[in-house]
Amino acid sequence: MKKSTLFIAILLVCGAFSSCLRSDDLEMLRHPISVTGSVSPQYGVPVANGELNINDLLARLSSDYQGLITNDEEITVEYTANLSDTIFAFSQIPNLAPAPAARPGTKDGTMWFSKDTIIIDTIDIDFFNDVSDLGGQINMEHIWLSIAVRAYGECPESVRPYVRATFDNLIISYEDHEGTLKSYSGLSVEPIQITDITEGFNHDFEQLDVASIANDMPRRIFTQYRMRFNVSSEFITNNISNLNFGAILDSVRMSRLIYAADLTVNMPFSVQFNGLTYSFNIDLGDGLSSVNLDSIMHSMAEGVDVNVDTARFRMVLDNGIPMAFTLSATMQDANGQDLFDIFRNKDIASANVVPSSSDPNRFQASTSVQSSIDAILHQNEIAKFYQARTMKITLKTDTNGKHVTIKRDDFLRIKAFLMIRPTVDVNISITDNGIL
């Protein structure tokens, strides 16, 4: 059909211009005719297209990321943990005999017998889990640690004057990125006295700033404090330090002692990054395998030879986040095995920045900046390219020496596509005997 259409078109052209042809031109039309030549059409195949807001980006910066981003305009990552426990008197536990009744003491030479329990609370910080280059530096303006402790005891009215409790010796420690336990020394808290334990007790240690631990990229933070339960010697005459808590509560005729703690870590994203490196994966699905060169070639007429020696893979990144990136990428197959490196240390420009309205020494994004990076694929890489299902991205972050504030609406837009420019050699026979 294609040859018939082309043949008719050639006859029409010949008829229109026959009066202008010379005899030697007419002679040419009595010989076999063929069309030959070479063209290079270009095909573009989209591979990825999307926009990452800062929550999406943070989720990709750590595959284990579970932090909650608060509703503040300035991005704040929040972690919470809760601990609670109840100590029952032995007489309140089924199948256990009650302890002997307490013996009243005298008012002369009053002492306070004490029994300690250490309360340890742990909060996991997964934000730094996938940082791969510990040569980088991070300077966070604040990391706020808040602790709320509560205690409550149930006992008869007559016992209340003879029991009390103290919260003291608050210690903060953390596990650094390498798993080493370290102490945080920049904290001093006065003991807290509970004179009437039946009224209940609440105390908040609000916004303790532990920003100095940021450069150790902690994996978890621990709080430890002592609850000291005190009983007057006017009520009992035996030292309670070696007794089980259940026995102590029996001795003072308390039914139970409840204590709890809530731990919160807030990390406002007012930061300075220098060379921190994160890795994450982009799922390519089946997009690359849909690029079927065989189908493209078979769709052309007979006598057409198609050769693809090289192709071009392009990523366009529109960065509205006030930090620059150095990007490397590796193509991986469905089993996560590396196929080949497609990008190595490509620069992605930061968004344009302006001083923050709240602090001229901090900067925030004003307008986005677009960066385009290309990779040339040769024949052996093209064959592997169609097997790719994942692109592993490695980003090295840099705020260019500035302390920046990252906002909720900061974004990173990504487009990626494959450009194929095959060489098409045409050699089609129109007629074997000429057309005249």
Side-chain angles (χ1 to χ4, degrees):
M1 182 67 184
K2 293 180 180 179
K3 289 185 178 181
S4 299
T5 302
L6 184 59
F7 180 71
I8 293 171
I10 292 174
L11 286 178
L12 291 174
V13 172
C14 290
F17 292 98
S18 59
S19 60
C20 300
L21 294 176
R22 298 178 308 217
S23 60
D24 54 347
D25 295 326
L26 293 173
E27 182 63 26
M28 291 176 56
L29 298 178
R30 297 187 179 97
H31 296 281
I33 296 175
S34 62
V35 177
T36 61
S38 180
V39 294
S40 295
Q42 179 168 293
Y43 297 87
V45 181
V47 174
N49 184 12
E51 177 177 321
L52 303 177
N53 61 28
I54 193 64
N55 185 58
D56 298 327
L57 184 63
L58 291 177
R60 284 162 172 78
L61 290 182
S62 176
S63 59
D64 300 321
Y65 170 74
Q66 296 294 326
L68 169 69
I69 292 184
T70 66
N71 291 324
D72 303 322
E73 180 183 6
E74 177 181 316
I75 288 298
T76 301
V77 181
E78 182 177 280
Y79 297 89
T80 60
N82 308 100
L83 170 70
S84 62
D85 198 5
T86 300
I87 303 173
F88 290 93
F90 279 169
S91 60
Q92 302 299 313
I93 302 175
N95 303 321
L96 288 177
R103 295 175 297 174
T106 64
K107 295 186 178 180
D108 298 328
T110 300
M111 297 178 56
W112 288 90
F113 299 121
S114 64
K115 174 73 173 183
D116 295 348
T117 184
I118 302 299
I119 301 172
I120 300 176
D121 209 353
T122 304
I123 192 162
D124 291 325
I125 307 295
D126 55 30
F127 181 76
F128 304 102
N129 281 9
D130 290 342
V131 176
S132 57
D133 184 358
L134 295 182
Q137 298 290 312
I138 181 172
N139 177 15
M140 283 192 163
E141 188 172 17
H142 301 290
I143 297 181
W144 298 114
L145 174 64
S146 298
I147 309 167
V149 294
R150 302 183 300 279
Y152 171 72
E154 296 179 351
C155 65
E157 181 74 21
S158 59
V159 176
R160 290 171 58 181
Y162 304 103
V163 293
R164 63 179 60 165
T166 304
F167 281 90
D168 63 5
N169 200 28
L170 177 61
I171 298 172
I172 295 176
S173 57
Y174 62 96
E175 184 181 297
D176 69 11
H177 197 271
E178 298 298 325
T180 302
L181 183 64
K182 296 184 177 180
S183 297
Y184 176 76
S185 59
L187 179 67
S188 177
V189 176
E190 295 295 323
I192 302 166
Q193 302 292 336
I194 308 172
T195 56
D196 189 346
I197 200 166
T198 63
E199 289 186 351
F201 162 79
N202 292 276
H203 185 81
D204 295 333
F205 303 94
E206 292 186 351
Q207 292 199 325
L208 307 171
D209 195 354
V210 294
S212 62
I213 72 174
N215 209 46
D216 279 336
M217 302 173 214
R219 293 188 180 273
R220 52 190 53 89
I221 297 176
F222 307 96
T223 60
Q224 173 180 308
Y225 49 90
R226 178 175 60 190
M227 186 184 73
R228 172 163 288 178
F229 185 72
N230 301 288
V231 182
S232 171
S233 62
E234 295 180 59
F235 193 83
I236 61 174
T237 58
N238 293 330
N239 192 330
I240 63 174
S241 61
N242 294 321
L243 295 180
N244 184 286
F245 255 107
I248 296 171
L249 298 185
D250 260 344
S251 298
V252 297
R253 298 195 291 277
M254 288 185 67
S255 59
R256 59 178 177 168
L257 177 64
I258 304 166
Y259 59 88
D262 299 327
L263 184 61
T264 303
V265 172
N266 284 282
M267 298 166 51
F269 248 61
S270 176
V271 297
Q272 183 176 355
F273 282 138
N274 179 21
L276 285 186
T277 301
Y278 287 91
S279 296
F280 61 95
N281 292 334
I282 293 179
D283 185 4
L284 300 175
D286 295 328
L288 302 183
S289 62
S290 66
V291 184
N292 193 328
L293 286 183
D294 291 336
S295 177
I296 293 174
M297 289 186 287
H298 291 157
S299 68
M300 299 181 180
E302 296 179 4
V304 175
D305 293 325
V306 180
N307 297 302
V308 179
D309 295 323
T310 61
R312 184 185 300 270
F313 183 74
R314 173 171 293 175
M315 288 185 69
V316 179
L317 299 98
D318 191 18
N319 188 7
I321 298 173
M323 64 176 69
F325 302 105
T326 301
L327 183 147
S328 298
T330 302
M331 290 297 181
Q332 297 180 328
D333 64 17
N335 298 317
Q337 298 298 313
D338 291 350
L339 296 171
F340 63 96
D341 292 336
I342 192 164
F343 293 118
R344 182 61 60 188
N345 296 328
K346 296 292 186 178
D347 292 330
I348 309 301
S350 166
N352 293 318
V353 297
V354 295
S356 169
S357 57
S358 60
D359 185 347
N361 294 317
R362 294 189 298 177
F363 293 83
Q364 63 187 42
S366 57
T367 56
S368 63
V369 173
Q370 189 175 98
S371 298
S372 179
I373 56 176
D374 286 14
I376 302 299
L377 307 178
H378 299 282
Q379 282 187 332
N380 61 328
E381 293 164 332
I382 292 172
K384 296 177 181 178
F385 193 82
Y386 302 129
Q387 304 173 33
R389 295 296 180 272
T390 301
M391 182 164 55
K392 181 179 180 181
I393 300 291
T394 300
L395 286 178
K396 181 177 288 186
T397 61
D398 193 349
T399 57
N400 297 320
K402 296 180 174 65
H403 203 105
V404 301
T405 295
I406 301 178
K407 298 179 296 181
R408 291 179 60 83
D409 55 357
D410 292 342
F411 63 87
L412 178 66
R413 293 193 183 103
I414 299 175
K415 292 182 179 179
F417 47 93
L418 179 67
M419 294 185 296
I420 304 171
R421 187 187 294 271
T423 300
V424 182
D425 295 319
V426 181
N427 186 7
I428 301 176
S429 177
I430 303 300
T431 175
D432 296 331
N433 300 313
I435 60 176
L436 291 183

